[in-house]
Amino acid sequence: MTDNLGKARWLAVLVPAALLGGAYLSQYGFGLYPCEMCWWQRYPHFAALALGLAAFWLKPPQVWTVLAGLAILTSGLIGGFHAGVEYGWWEGITGCSAPPSGTDLLDFKAAPLIRCDVAPWTLFGISLAGFNFLISSLSGAAIVALAAYRR
């Protein structure tokens, strides 16, 4: 195992674990419940966590680490799309990005409770989806680069 691969494997486990931990802390600790697109960002992190752990036991570890990095990068790209929806740069592709179209009570009851196009929390103007984009894109690319680099 090269030193770069060791760093990449640890990042492939720690990054999705930390981001999922933060997501669940914000959900259950602070009441920031996820919308549909928030869930879309979590799924690749679950996969990355499993792939990152697999890199410690399955051969060749580079393959599993790169796959974990690509899963993290995928979550970041979904986060970038979601952040764009929240900032109004483009429309979302789900029903959670628009209010009910009619005034019928059934339309209101069918409407999602958590809107995808409204950021429930921001820091320095960056939403949680925006932070996921920044962290996951940079760390996912770094993991892939570190795992692929051989001395």
Side-chain angles (χ1 to χ4, degrees):
M1 175 179 71
T2 66
D3 188 48
N4 286 338
L5 179 59
K7 291 175 188 174
R9 290 195 313 183
W10 279 107
L11 281 174
V13 171
L14 295 176
V15 168
L19 290 173
L20 285 169
Y24 281 108
L25 177 65
S26 68
Q27 179 179 345
Y28 293 109
F30 300 105
L32 299 175
Y33 295 100
C35 69
E36 183 178 355
M37 288 199 288
C38 294
W39 275 106
W40 294 355
Q41 294 169 71
R42 291 184 189 189
Y43 299 138
H45 282 305
F46 290 128
L49 191 55
L51 292 165
L53 289 171
F56 283 95
W57 290 285
L58 301 177
K59 303 285 184 204
Q62 291 88 352
V63 170
W64 299 102
T65 306
V66 167
L67 289 174
L70 291 174
I72 294 167
L73 186 58
T74 299
S75 178
L77 295 176
I78 295 168
F81 177 78
H82 186 190
V85 171
E86 290 175 336
Y87 300 142
W89 296 341
W90 46 74
E91 291 185 22
I93 56 175
T94 68
C96 70
S97 294
S101 58
T103 57
D104 187 10
L105 182 59
L106 292 176
D107 285 342
F108 179 74
K109 290 179 95 178
L113 297 175
I114 308 299
R115 300 271 309 260
C116 294
D117 58 351
V118 176
W121 181 87
T122 62
L123 178 65
F124 307 119
I126 302 173
S127 68
L128 290 172
F131 278 111
N132 183 48
F133 167 71
L134 294 171
I135 295 167
S136 295
S137 297
L138 293 173
S139 63
I143 290 166
V144 170
L146 284 171
Y149 178 76
R150 293 186 186 195
R151 291 182 193 190

